[in-house]
Amino acid sequence: MNQTILEALFGKTRRSILGLLFRQPDEAFFVRKIIRLANVSPGAAQRELKRLSEAGIIVRSTKDNHVLYQASPACPAYIELRSLFIGSP
């Protein structure tokens, strides 16, 4: 059932990125790793990551001139998003 809800709420790229980040909320991912693991195009990934970080859903940080992203525990919907993605494939 969660998959149907997720498909209704989020497009494929956003769903893939959020799923990756919210299933492993304590891990920060490099952009290239997100693209590879979420199986999304670089352009679409960049757009979604920008939107999600500007909305405060994910956190953008830098390390050694590389950009990393991870789920934001400060997001008001953090618990709900995490529960949606934990139960989905």
Side-chain angles (χ1 to χ4, degrees), residues 6-79:
L6 291 172
E7 288 171 356
L9 290 174
F10 308 111
K12 180 188 178 298
T13 300
R14 185 170 296 169
R15 190 170 62 241
S16 296
I17 291 171
L18 287 173
L20 174 66
L21 298 179
F22 277 88
R23 283 188 193 109
Q24 300 172 67
D26 297 327
E27 186 174 346
F29 293 89
F30 291 109
V31 175
R32 286 182 184 223
K33 190 170 184 179
I34 292 171
I35 291 167
R36 183 171 42 85
L37 293 176
N39 194 27
V40 295
S41 73
Q46 292 284 359
R47 284 189 299 276
E48 286 301 329
L49 290 167
K50 184 175 190 282
R51 285 183 191 129
L52 293 168
S53 64
E54 287 175 350
I57 297 169
I58 62 175
V59 176
R60 180 186 190 273
S61 61
T62 56
K63 179 181 178 184
D64 301 327
N65 294 326
H66 294 285
V67 178
L68 296 112
Y69 291 93
Q70 74 182 99
S72 173
C75 172
Y78 176 83
I79 294 170

